[in-house]
Amino acid sequence: MANYRGGRINEEFKREISNLIQNEIKDPRITAMISVTDVKVTKDLRYAKVYVSIFCSSEDEKKNNLDALKGASGFVRKEVGRRINLRHTPEILFEIDDSINYGMHMDELIQRISKKDE
């Protein structure tokens, strides 16, 4: 039962934080498209790790966007606390998720290997 509740909380946080990033944060440093890929809330509801994919052209721009998100974490926490009624509103920790880039790299390697075999 607790695992089911944890999954629901994670998905609710993911939806709300994604909505906040897309529509509410007005930081001019956020120039790239940002996608929330996963959220992991601890069992005691103290911390929420938010994994984001940042689609941009350079690593420097990616770092600037991540810094802007980390700077807005207080605002995100306050808004999530208003929208989701929980006993404790977790502290928001943003992390980069490079799994999409890694998957694209692996796909490229597989394509190269399959072309060599032909």
Side-chain angles (χ1 to χ4, degrees), residues 1-115:
M1 185 65 123
N3 191 20
Y4 178 69
R5 180 176 185 259
R8 285 186 306 167
I9 290 173
N10 289 340
E11 286 301 315
E12 187 71 23
F13 268 78
K14 181 178 172 181
R15 187 172 68 238
E16 290 298 332
I17 291 172
S18 179
N19 185 27
L20 284 169
I21 290 172
Q22 295 297 321
N23 301 322
E24 302 290 325
I25 296 178
K26 304 293 185 213
D27 195 324
R29 294 179 293 172
I30 296 178
T31 57
M33 186 176 89
I34 299 173
S35 174
V36 177
T37 57
D38 197 15
V39 175
K40 303 265 193 238
V41 179
T42 58
K43 290 187 186 293
D44 61 355
L45 300 177
R46 296 291 180 189
Y47 298 97
K49 275 195 174 181
V50 179
Y51 296 96
V52 294
S53 286
I54 301 174
F55 302 104
C56 58
S57 57
S58 68
E59 288 298 317
D60 192 38
E61 186 180 355
K62 186 182 281 192
K63 184 183 179 311
N64 288 339
N65 279 279
L66 182 63
D67 290 342
L69 282 177
K70 287 182 178 179
S73 65
F75 170 75
V76 172
R77 181 180 184 187
K78 181 183 76 168
E79 287 298 314
V80 167
R82 271 190 337 105
R83 296 175 185 197
I84 301 174
N85 189 17
L86 291 173
R87 181 172 294 158
H88 300 287
T89 302
E91 184 177 335
I92 307 292
L93 306 170
F94 286 102
E95 299 284 329
I96 291 281
D97 183 13
D98 285 330
S99 63
I100 294 174
N101 291 338
Y102 181 73
M104 287 173 36
H105 175 69
M106 292 308 253
D107 188 45
E108 179 184 325
L109 293 175
I110 291 170
Q111 293 296 327
R112 275 196 223 157
I113 291 172
S114 66
K115 285 182 182 176

